[in-house]
Amino acid sequence: MFVRYSFAIGHLLLPSPSQNILEIEILSPLQEASRRARELEDLGVVTGPISCPRARGDVECHRNHLRKMQMSFGGEWNPAALSLGIWKPVVVEYYAVAVFRDVDVAIKRNDSHWTMDCRAFLSTHASENFYAQLVVNANELLDDRYVLNQQLVSNDSPVIEFKIHIPKDRVILWWPNGYGKQKLYPVLFSVKCYTSEDRHTLSSRTESQKLLKIGFRTIELVEDTDHIGRTFFFRVNGHPIFMKGANYVPAHTLPELSADADAVAHLLKAANEANMNMIRVWGGGLYESDTFYNLADFYGLLVWQDMTFSQAAYPLANDFVASVCVETVQNAQRLSYHPSLALIVTNNEIELFLSTNKSDFGENATRMESDYKTLFIETIIKELKVISRKDFSPRPEPMVSTPSLGVQESGKNLSNNPQSFNYGDVHFWDDKDGFSPETYPHARFVSEFGYSSLPMKSTWQRALADSADDSDLEIARLIRSRQHDPKGFIPILQLIAYQLPFVPQNWDEDIDKFIYFSQVAQAMATKTALEVFRSLRTGNHTMGALMWQLNDVWVAPTWSCIDFYGNPKLLYYWTKELLAPTSVIALYDNNSNNLNITLTREDFSEHRDSQLYYVLVNTYLWTDLIPKKTIARAFGLGSNNLEMRQIPLEYLLYENHLKEELFLEIILEDEYGNSVARNFFYPVPLNKIIGIKDPELTLEVEGQDCKAATSPYANSFSLRITVRYPALLVYLELVHPYYVKERHRFSTNGFTQTQPKKTIHLVFESDTVCMTLTTDHIKVQTINQYLI
């Protein structure tokens, strides 16, 4: 499904009025995968997995034998849904000589010029070499159009190579999100092809065009040796950048719906607004649509692109390998010009799969490793050279697998420990206490980590739309049926139990509480992880953290921070502050009993840019909105820098009060007293808090007057929240029976309120109908109500 098929049909077409019929025979993917597996087994060839694992009966077998989206065979968070059919357009192309397919634009910079090192890839069925005239128009970059005349093109390898030099002062750099602008230049490539030098024969001429938006940037993957191993970080435009973002899975279980422009735009805009700068396209999914990569360019989201191979040993059948070669070249040529493309990795977790299961493979292990090298190193890496250059590197060299020891170690013997914390990247999954900083590895780059939770209740009700019964009993039944994790609910319930007052055995007796607690636990654990990873940036030690996962393919208990219908979970709301370029981090060091407060700036400035900041630590009792104690510290911090200060926790306690009776608010202010960032630290697990009171929370909702309003309607509401005592992790949920289906977002959510009055904004995307809300349409929960 990952290749473009092109057939010459001119000799087959019937003239009008006859009808031409295209008939395609589609085989059952289940039966075909099983047939191919049996054929190899009869020959004594074993491919992995060694047995067909079944996650609660939700996984189908032998996915590695078909070049289909691997997740369509099912998994820990998604259904088995082996769709079949034509998932992209079928078109008839008419051309006499050749047609434009793709343009690879590699960007190079020297002291005076930028160079667009271009390769124009054509498709042709010509039996002889032909001629081409190529014209490039780029009004913002060139005073005159660039023209290549009388280019002789090989019919066996129809590529036109050329270089365009652009004065440095004509170019504005393209930067990742948070570091600068994402300037894109429209460039129109036009080619006319002729069968001979005689251009006057119109019947032997073909003209086609390609309009691309080009961003000028340099990007490197730096793997320098240091005292513990090798660094692993991206340097963009000469500037080291901490990568913060998420893993992206297809926007829908059915691949033909995964390219929905509205859904993709919603997700990538959300990633941009949450201060992310990198998206990893996971290897169990797809090569995404052109819309996806165009939006990644626009929003400044660097793309870590896995190829679509995951957690299995793949066969070396001739037709399989030949198809993989075509897949590699076609997709590399299509994606290569995008400034957002940061790294291509040929597979997800296959080296980890081979090393972890080596003893189970027995005498087949050596052959499987050899086959792995043949397919991924000797074949795919070699085919990817179609977008490389001999004299410079337009982007990092491909990495073979993730996790791994990095690009520099690729091609050597397979590591027995691809999860080494001293090299490359790691996928971190652990069932230990996710709220403890000591749980997390001091790795070089964490390309997967995360915690699962449930979507909000209205999402489950919407999934039951065809059912007349959307009671809690029915929702609980659906939740059970959608739980595909082989460990069941144990990881979610364990995580909740570390922090919150909850009886795991009775989760289905209070669905609202379970959903709320699951999202709180996910957000709090992920917050700890992100703060640990960001605080380790000194010396380029840890330089990336990608959450698993951004989005969902259906309504289920998953690791996403945005649910299937595009609704943000609490984690998403927190992420905007967690990933803000200037942040204040507070982590408890159990060994020294210190609170480590780190101020971090992740930005770019051409000149020295040291700024003065103040960190205020307010000590609150759970019984009062007025801080009982404040400690201030001054920080001077430059661009892309960080500094950590240790404060003994005993200095922050208040008089004779226990840790269980208080909490800390950490405020970051600039030199003018403006609030820049805010954080909270709870000295004990939330279920150990003493003295918390009913906040006596009241809510007022104010919106537009629909009698006076005119279309398009500004469906924005102000929610005024008043409390008399601190309100812990206030969770707002829209419960309007109709409006819940409209995309909406609160300005913040899951917040701890320490001021008497706070205004939250609720904004809907839709402007076609004037909406009216009352307090009855907003459900409010706090941790207070479950602790009293």
Side-chain angles (χ1 to χ4, degrees), residues 66 93 168 276 283 300 307 315 360 370 417 435 451 508 528 593 613 651 659 668 734 742-743 747:
L66 296 182
E93 296 177 320
K168 200 172 179 181
M276 298 183 192
M307 296 185 66
D360 294 335
S370 175
N417 181 24
F435 308 102
Y451 297 92
D508 53 353
T528 303
N593 197 32
Y613 295 93
Y651 289 3
K659 290 189 297 184
L668 177 65
L734 179 70
E742 300 290 343
R743 279 195 190 138
S747 55

Side-chain angles (χ1 to χ4, degrees), residues 568-740:
K569 296 180 179 178
L570 281 190
L571 173 57
Y572 176 81
Y573 284 108
W574 286 26
T575 300
K576 187 170 184 178
E577 294 184 7
L578 285 172
L579 300 183
T582 302
S583 301
V584 61
I585 295 168
L587 293 168
Y588 178 64
D589 184 345
N590 189 54
N591 294 323
S592 63
N593 197 32
N594 288 330
L595 187 64
N596 295 340
I597 294 181
T598 302
L599 174 58
T600 178
R601 282 183 62 186
E602 294 160 8
D603 56 10
F604 170 73
S605 177
E606 290 188 24
H607 311 288
R608 292 179 63 87
D609 179 30
S610 183
Q611 297 181 18
L612 181 63
Y613 295 93
Y614 297 97
V615 172
L616 309 178
V617 183
N618 294 322
T619 302
Y620 284 87
L621 295 177
W622 288 109
T623 55
D624 202 339
L625 290 175
I626 299 174
K628 298 302 181 184
K629 184 176 182 180
T630 299
I631 289 180
R633 294 286 187 271
F635 286 71
L637 199 64
S639 172
N640 211 40
N641 230 321
L642 79 164
E643 184 178 343
M644 188 266 284
R645 303 274 182 89
Q646 294 182 327
I647 302 177
L649 187 60
E650 62 190 46
Y651 289 3
L652 302 171
L653 303 182
Y654 177 62
E655 295 181 345
N656 296 322
H657 289 276
L658 302 172
K659 290 189 297 184
E660 289 81 357
E661 297 177 277
L662 54 80
F663 65 99
L664 305 177
E665 178 189 44
I666 302 99
I667 301 174
L668 177 65
E669 294 182 348
D670 64 19
E671 59 184 306
Y672 306 107
N674 300 310
S675 179
V676 176
R678 186 182 304 265
N679 203 339
F680 286 91
F681 175 73
Y682 310 105
V684 298
L686 303 188
N687 53 17
K688 298 291 193 296
I689 288 172
I690 295 174
I692 198 167
K693 304 185 73 169
D694 179 352
E696 298 183 22
L697 185 149
T698 60
L699 173 68
E700 298 176 64
V701 178
E702 184 177 300
Q704 62 192 326
D705 180 2
C706 286
K707 293 180 180 178
T710 57
S711 179
Y713 300 101
N715 289 312
S716 177
F717 298 85
S718 296
L719 312 181
R720 283 194 291 273
I721 300 172
T722 304
V723 297
R724 291 192 61 192
Y725 302 100
L728 178 56
L729 303 180
V730 181
Y731 176 53
L732 306 172
E733 183 177 358
L734 179 70
V735 293
H736 191 285
Y738 305 114
Y739 298 164
V740 288

Side-chain angles (χ1 to χ4, degrees), residues 1-21:
M1 68 181 289
F2 304 121
V3 301
R4 176 185 64 252
Y5 294 92
S6 182
F7 305 98
I9 60 170
H11 62 292
L12 300 173
L13 293 178
L14 301 175
S16 180
S18 299
Q19 292 293 310
N20 290 284
I21 298 173

Side-chain angles (χ1 to χ4, degrees), residues 44-88:
V45 177
V46 177
T47 59
I50 197 164
S51 61
C52 186
R54 290 188 175 271
R56 299 165 60 85
D58 298 313
V59 176
E60 298 295 347
C61 302
H62 309 307
R63 60 178 171 79
N64 52 324
H65 291 272
L66 296 182
R67 293 308 298 134
K68 283 184 69 70
M69 181 173 74
Q70 297 290 270
M71 76 171 212
S72 65
F73 286 75
E76 295 180 359
W77 47 268
N78 60 292
L82 278 82
S83 62
L84 59 155
I86 306 303
W87 73 294
K88 288 191 175 183

Side-chain angles (χ1 to χ4, degrees), residues 227-491:
H227 66 287
I228 60 169
R230 288 185 187 272
T231 62
F232 189 95
F233 69 92
F234 292 89
R235 188 156 54 203
V236 180
N237 299 326
H239 190 70
I241 292 182
F242 184 93
M243 293 301 164
K244 46 195 180 184
N247 288 262
Y248 184 93
V249 300
H252 202 285
T253 294
L254 302 178
E256 64 272 21
L257 301 180
S258 66
D260 179 76
D262 181 59
V264 173
H266 176 73
L267 291 169
L268 294 193
K269 182 182 179 183
N272 168 276
E273 291 176 346
N275 293 307
M276 298 183 192
N277 58 27
M278 176 171 271
I279 293 290
R280 175 181 170 231
V281 179
W282 171 64
L286 302 165
Y287 306 98
E288 290 294 330
S289 64
D290 290 339
T291 299
F292 176 94
Y293 299 100
N294 291 337
L295 286 167
D297 294 344
F298 179 78
Y299 286 122
L301 298 169
L302 288 167
V303 174
W304 169 311
Q305 177 69 54
D306 284 3
M307 296 185 66
T308 55
F309 302 85
S310 184
Q311 292 177 313
Y314 289 82
L316 290 182
N318 290 339
D319 61 336
F320 187 92
V321 174
S323 175
V324 166
C325 290
V326 176
E327 168 188 333
T328 302
V329 169
Q330 286 185 358
N331 285 287
Q333 290 175 348
R334 177 172 70 95
L335 304 183
S336 60
Y337 80 89
H338 288 281
S340 58
L341 183 63
L343 181 67
I344 296 176
V345 183
T346 68
N347 70 74
N348 169 66
E349 294 189 352
I350 297 183
E351 285 192 19
L352 181 62
F353 166 79
L354 292 175
S355 64
T356 303
N357 297 286
K358 191 170 185 176
S359 59
D360 294 335
F361 295 139
E363 61 185 17
N364 291 297
T366 301
R367 183 195 55 77
M368 293 173 76
E369 287 189 10
S370 175
D371 288 354
Y372 171 80
K373 291 180 182 179
T374 299
L375 181 61
F376 291 99
I377 298 173
E378 298 172 17
T379 303
I380 294 179
I381 292 288
K382 180 181 177 182
E383 294 294 337
L384 285 172
K385 292 186 182 298
V386 71
I387 58 170
S388 66
R389 300 294 188 274
K390 292 182 179 179
D391 56 337
F392 74 103
S393 297
R395 67 192 65 80
E397 292 298 312
M399 192 161 78
V400 180
S401 190
T402 174
S404 75
L405 302 185
V407 174
Q408 292 294 331
E409 303 297 321
S410 295
K412 301 180 181 179
N413 292 329
L414 266 64
S415 171
N416 291 324
N417 181 24
Q419 291 270 50
S420 170
F421 297 157
N422 300 328
Y423 297 84
D425 69 313
V426 302
H427 293 181
F428 179 72
W429 299 102
D430 201 309
D431 292 334
K432 295 177 183 175
D433 179 3
F435 308 102
S436 171
E438 298 172 358
T439 296
Y440 299 99
H442 292 199
R444 311 319 295 254
F445 196 108
V446 186
S447 49
E448 276 189 22
F449 73 98
Y451 297 92
S452 58
S453 68
L454 278 71
M456 62 187 187
K457 188 173 182 178
S458 61
T459 292
W460 292 102
Q461 291 169 329
R462 190 172 173 183
L464 287 167
D466 295 334
S467 171
D469 182 5
D470 63 358
S471 64
D472 283 7
L473 193 65
E474 189 65 15
I475 291 174
R477 185 199 63 77
L478 182 60
I479 291 173
R480 286 192 192 90
S481 71
R482 295 287 179 93
Q483 175 57 277
H484 283 197
D485 187 342
K487 298 177 182 178
F489 291 101
I490 292 174

